[in-house]
Amino acid sequence: MSNLSQVGGLSTGVYVQDANPLLEETQLNTDISLVDENLPINEETGRQGSVFFTVQDGDGAIRYTRNGSFTLDGQGYLTTSSGHYVLNENNERIKLDSDQFTVAENGVILEGNVQTARIPSLVNLVLTPLSS
């Protein structure tokens, strides 16, 4: 993953669904949006790529999603609404002390001034979609 370049930004407190590309302000720190910018065009399809969050399902399989409506589970792990764990740049579960964190544009999660984790901006054109 070290050859990936910055292609989009991350924002907290907003939520977006693919069907409606407009961002909706939620005021929730656990809602994180992916903003596709400067993504290359796939020469075979003529379509622009997308940026995805990496998550782990209940069976331990790695999946990808654009849905950034996250929450903290009872143990402090950042999860999807389906309970899939959000993974950091090392494919490890992201554990936080509280929902009082910020996410920098480069994906770094800060609790106060301490870096807790980093959410990678993963560009991937062939994906296993997450079923809801």
Side-chain angles (χ1 to χ4, degrees):
M1 299 239 288
S2 60
N3 346 8
L4 295 179
S5 59
Q6 180 71 26
V7 293
L10 293 166
S11 299
T12 57
V14 293
Y15 173 68
V16 65
Q17 292 235 356
D18 286 325
N20 181 3
L22 300 176
L23 295 179
E24 177 183 329
E25 187 74 32
T26 66
Q27 302 295 320
L28 298 173
N29 289 343
T30 54
D31 285 349
I32 304 170
S33 68
L34 293 169
V35 181
D36 293 337
E37 297 174 347
N38 304 319
L39 292 176
I41 302 297
N42 181 312
E43 292 179 15
E44 292 178 19
T45 65
R47 295 175 49 195
Q48 185 177 26
S50 293
V51 188
F52 294 84
F53 295 106
T54 307
V55 298
Q56 183 181 46
D57 69 16
D59 296 327
I62 302 295
R63 303 284 187 210
Y64 303 98
T65 184
R66 289 191 49 79
N67 186 335
S69 180
F70 301 134
T71 189
L72 293 183
D73 71 6
Q75 297 177 338
Y77 289 102
L78 191 63
T79 63
T80 68
S81 59
S82 301
H84 297 98
Y85 294 100
V86 180
L87 303 179
N88 67 16
E89 63 188 343
N90 298 315
N91 283 339
E92 300 165 334
R93 296 174 180 176
I94 296 173
K95 187 169 186 176
L96 302 167
D97 291 331
S98 76
D99 64 358
Q100 298 304 304
F101 64 89
T102 58
V103 181
E105 191 171 306
N106 64 357
V108 170
I109 297 176
L110 297 167
E111 292 186 280
N113 292 327
V114 178
Q115 179 177 337
T116 303
R118 182 173 178 277
I119 299 174
S121 294
L122 178 68
V123 176
N124 207 322
L125 300 177
V126 180
L127 301 170
T128 305
L130 235 182
S131 57
S132 301

